[in-house]
Amino acid sequence: MTGATQTEERQATAAPAIELRGISKAFGPVQANKDISISVKKGTIHGIIGENGAGKSTLMSILYGFYKADRGEILIDGKPTSIPDSQAAIAAGIGMVFQHFKLVENFTVLENVILGAEDGPLLRPSLAKARRSLTDLSREYELNVDPDAVIEQLSVGHQQRVEILKALYRQAEILILDEPTGVLTPAEADHLFRILDNLRKEGKTVILITHKLREIMEITDTVSVMRRGEMTATVKTAETSPEELAELMVGRKVLLRVDKKPATPGETVLSVKNLKVTDGQGVERLRGISLDIKAGEILGIAGVAGNGQSELMQVLGGQILNAKGEITLNGQPLALSGHSADGMARRAAGIAHVPEDRQREGLIMDFAAWENVAFGYHRDPAYQKGLLMDNAGLLRETEGKMERFDVRPPNPRLAAKNFSGGNQQKIVVAREIERNPDLLLVGQPTRGVDIGAIEFIHQEIVRLRDQGKAILLVSVELDEIMSLSDRVAVMFDGSIMGFRDPATADERELGLLMAGIEGEPDQPAWKAIEENMKAVEDGGTPPNG
Ligand code: ADP
Ligand code: MG
């Protein structure tokens, strides 16, 4: 590498790595990109942020040759470049890491990387030579990928690194990553950011698409904000703030931190003792969970997905009917098996449930919004009119709920599938919260939800807490757990690793607990976490657990 000043001088005079001028693209009546212009300097990380549907993926697909722009120009290193297909993109030095990887599962890393590269710039390299250059690249950028590993045996994080490796092997100078951290654990995301930093240091140009403000603030040099197909601003990351970016994304001021008073917990509402669940394969998913939640309190469960959080919610919500242990609600024991433990019985007992997977469990997609509002409560006397359901009453009630929860469009006759993800979630949250439950179970309340709606859903959960309800919150977003909860429990491998006060908890320690590690290890945290995750994936016992 040359000296820093020389590098800076070269960058100042060099043409931008990528320049887009006046790009527009419509899909039928939807104007996905409107007259978009950006310029990205070589050797920088440029973020593109925007809510779902803002047009980010469309713009990058145009740059990668998947879509043809209706209008506009692409310049690579200052030269007008036509990119009719992905071959042309690769030839222009552009690599793309997709949200859903395009790897052949039962091939090795090496095989995947050279697959289709033969007719590229590196005419049929020998396997030995290819393996060597993969090993070099892997070391240079801290990718830590074994060329001979089989894809299906790799973690999601490693598979993503194979995609990066593939792009680098094809001599990409510009790397585009579309929402890369959505599938990663916090430790894997940290590792990815180190890799991106290494790429930047080597003079590569990175475009990072995300809807997470924290990632933008952490790693990018410049950021462009998209809203409804338009590029609303491009700013230097060091000169902006999450609040400003949120406002640019949503078009109004957004409260990023949950505004809540300290909890004033009352009597114990939920008490769980030594809860155990074994799945159909005989694997113990819950290994003796004990917890209490008081009235007026939010207990948040932090953890990497798949460590028993879902099973805990499903036992409490009545979807798993073969648990062992003890549960009481307001001092009354709840059944753990059979009909009297099912969803209907749970609702009758005063438990409401916003399930993690709203598309599968929370809504019937082909049914209208008002029918979905009745769903799960259809035997409730409040919704009965003689032997029939009171449809007109339900329609009216749904209209009211849609208005209060700002569901758009506020049309109760529209099928659930025709609402955006955020509005679907608002329908489920409205239905459950308005039941006025003693205990609300909330799983991943804001997954795939726009930040404007996140703010609203969080406020509703806090409002319910302040009415003296008990709330059990499960989320893989540590930020969400930390800002919303009054107490945090960390789950790992079916057990609770510990309870912490979010006001005083150390996020690094929480990250370690999430990986099953107690106390202070003397190795770097990310390394211990990776080893543990790999061991768990392989079905063994974590070395640091
Ligand atoms: P983002 O990546 O910011 O979430 P997208 O670029 O995926 O947004 O989508 C922008 C808009 O274009 C959305 O309204 C989306 O529904 C629409 N859109 C994207 N791809 C297609 C397509 N292939 N056909 C029709 N509409 C599309
Ligand atoms: Mg997208």
Side-chain angles (χ1 to χ4, degrees):
M1 281 212 58
T2 48
T5 43
Q6 240 178 309
T7 313
E8 274 161 28
E9 262 169 42
R10 208 179 47 220
Q11 281 174 358
T13 51
I18 306 163
E19 195 181 344
L20 302 179
R21 288 186 189 160
I23 299 278
S24 292
K25 172 77 187 170
F27 296 105
V30 178
Q31 192 69 47
N33 287 166
K34 290 179 212 166
D35 192 22
I36 289 185
S37 300
I38 46 167
S39 159
V40 180
K41 218 195 262 178
K42 188 174 155 54
T44 63
I45 301 179
H46 186 94
I48 296 189
I49 195 161
E51 299 201 309
N52 291 320
K56 308 178 295 291
S57 295
T58 300
L59 187 64
M60 290 306 119
S61 298
I62 290 169
L63 189 51
Y64 198 63
F66 275 173
Y67 294 142
K68 189 180 175 307
D70 300 334
R71 263 184 309 284
E73 226 186 335
I74 300 171
L75 291 87
I76 306 290
D77 289 328
K79 286 187 289 290
T81 307
S82 133
I83 305 182
D85 51 34
S86 56
Q87 287 303 332
I90 293 166
I94 301 171
M96 180 127 169
V97 176
F98 293 91
Q99 257 173 322
H100 301 283
F101 311 136
K102 301 190 183 303
L103 300 170
V104 185
E105 291 267 298
N106 53 355
F107 278 24
T108 65
V109 170
L110 178 63
E111 288 162 345
N112 266 283
V113 169
I114 61 175
L115 194 75
E118 294 96 303
D119 49 354
L122 300 152
L123 291 157
R124 289 191 181 279
S126 76
L127 270 186
K129 203 170 146 211
R131 181 181 284 113
R132 236 186 349 267
S133 67
L134 282 195
T135 309
D136 290 348
L137 282 171
S138 177
R139 187 174 326 113
E140 183 174 359
Y141 296 104
E142 281 187 80
L143 289 159
N144 299 356
V145 177
D146 170 8
D148 296 312
V150 178
I151 298 298
E152 61 192 359
Q153 287 166 356
L154 296 178
S155 68
V156 172
H158 276 87
Q159 291 188 23
Q160 187 178 66
R161 290 182 224 156
V162 176
E163 288 281 9
I164 296 173
L165 197 53
K166 206 168 145 185
L168 294 174
Y169 187 78
R170 284 162 178 64
Q171 302 180 330
E173 285 299 318
I174 299 160
L175 199 67
I176 304 168
L177 297 102
D178 193 350
E179 303 273 4
T181 60
V183 292
L184 302 182
T185 64
E188 286 177 326
D190 281 352
H191 191 151
L192 174 67
F193 285 174
R194 277 207 316 284
I195 293 166
L196 297 187
D197 189 39
N198 291 336
L199 290 165
R200 166 167 57 191
K201 283 183 191 140
E202 292 299 318
K204 309 268 186 200
T205 307
V206 176
I207 298 187
L208 174 69
I209 302 174
T210 178
H211 63 275
K212 296 184 185 171
L213 290 162
R214 192 161 83 145
E215 295 178 352
I216 291 287
M217 298 309 293
E218 193 173 321
I219 187 84
T220 66
D221 300 294
T222 46
V223 51
S224 295
V225 185
M226 289 189 74
R227 170 158 36 106
R228 295 189 189 159
E230 288 178 75
M231 198 70 102
T232 51
T234 294
V235 291
K236 287 203 170 94
T237 310
E239 291 170 6
T240 187
S241 64
E243 288 75 16
E244 186 190 27
L245 291 175
E247 191 174 342
L248 287 165
M249 274 166 77
V250 182
R252 62 172 173 85
K253 281 210 183 307
V254 180
L255 208 57
L256 288 178
R257 281 218 320 261
V258 182
D259 192 15
K260 65 176 173 50
K261 299 189 292 279
T264 49
E267 301 277 301
T268 298
V269 172
L270 176 76
S271 176
V272 174
K273 286 200 179 64
N274 201 23
L275 188 67
K276 292 186 178 171
V277 167
T278 305
D279 71 11
Q281 275 76 51
V283 178
E284 204 171 30
R285 294 292 174 185
L286 294 181
R287 303 173 188 268
I289 296 283
S290 297
L291 56 84
D292 285 341
I293 311 179
K294 295 191 160 64
E297 183 186 45
I298 301 174
L299 176 69
I301 309 266
V304 177
N307 279 285
Q309 305 95 312
S310 303
E311 286 80 1
L312 175 61
M313 296 293 260
Q314 287 168 357
V315 171
L316 294 168
Q319 288 79 45
I320 289 180
L321 305 177
N322 62 344
K324 303 223 154 31
E326 265 176 60
I327 302 178
T328 58
L329 190 73
N330 296 322
Q332 301 296 313
L334 292 184
L336 289 176
S337 58
H339 269 326
S340 43
D342 71 7
M344 190 89 66
R346 292 290 196 255
R347 280 186 290 273
I351 298 176
H353 188 186
V354 177
E356 292 182 85
D357 185 350
R358 62 179 162 266
Q359 304 234 335
R360 274 206 350 244
E361 290 173 23
L363 291 167
I364 302 175
M365 286 296 161
D366 287 324
F367 282 26
W370 72 269
E371 292 168 302
N372 271 289
V373 165
F375 171 56
Y377 297 100
H378 47 278
R379 292 206 200 134
D380 192 301
Y383 291 135
Q384 300 288 316
K385 198 176 186 180
L387 285 173
L388 301 170
M389 295 198 62
D390 177 10
N391 289 353
L394 266 170
L395 259 173
R396 263 196 317 277
E397 196 173 318
T398 305
E399 254 167 12
K401 284 182 189 169
M402 290 176 105
E403 200 183 307
R404 283 193 293 285
F405 280 78
D406 191 24
V407 176
R408 284 180 235 175
N411 175 3
R413 295 179 194 271
L414 203 61
K417 65 180 174 202
N418 294 325
F419 290 89
S420 72
N423 284 296
Q424 289 171 1
Q425 182 71 332
K426 284 191 202 163
I427 292 172
V428 179
V429 172
R431 177 183 73 209
E432 299 301 317
I433 283 188
E434 300 242 326
R435 290 294 300 171
N436 195 24
D438 292 331
L439 170 67
L440 176 69
L441 311 171
V442 207
Q444 319 295 351
T446 51
R447 179 181 276 167
V449 174
D450 293 340
I451 50 175
I454 290 178
E455 175 192 33
F456 181 79
I457 289 171
H458 283 176
Q459 283 168 350
E460 285 300 309
I461 292 172
V462 171
R463 195 174 58 79
L464 204 66
R465 178 202 76 165
D466 290 343
Q467 287 171 8
K469 312 300 182 180
I471 292 157
L472 178 64
L473 167 73
V474 165
S475 172
V476 292
E477 301 287 348
L478 190 54
D479 287 348
E480 179 165 52
I481 292 284
M482 294 294 274
S483 58
L484 211 48
S485 310
D486 301 309
R487 255 184 331 133
V488 175
V490 184
M491 268 184 90
F492 173 74
D493 197 21
S495 300
I496 290 181
M497 297 291 294
F499 292 87
R500 294 289 182 276
D501 176 352
T504 55
D506 169 20
E507 286 211 23
R508 185 172 162 276
E509 195 213 352
L510 286 177
L512 290 174
L513 289 173
M514 284 166 68
I517 302 162
E518 280 171 295
E520 289 286 300
D522 44 17
Q523 57 185 333
W526 62 268
K527 214 170 158 198
I529 290 170
E530 284 207 332
E531 276 169 18
N532 265 18
M533 305 242 264
K534 205 160 175 326
V536 171
E537 271 161 23
D538 297 345
T541 328
N544 305 297

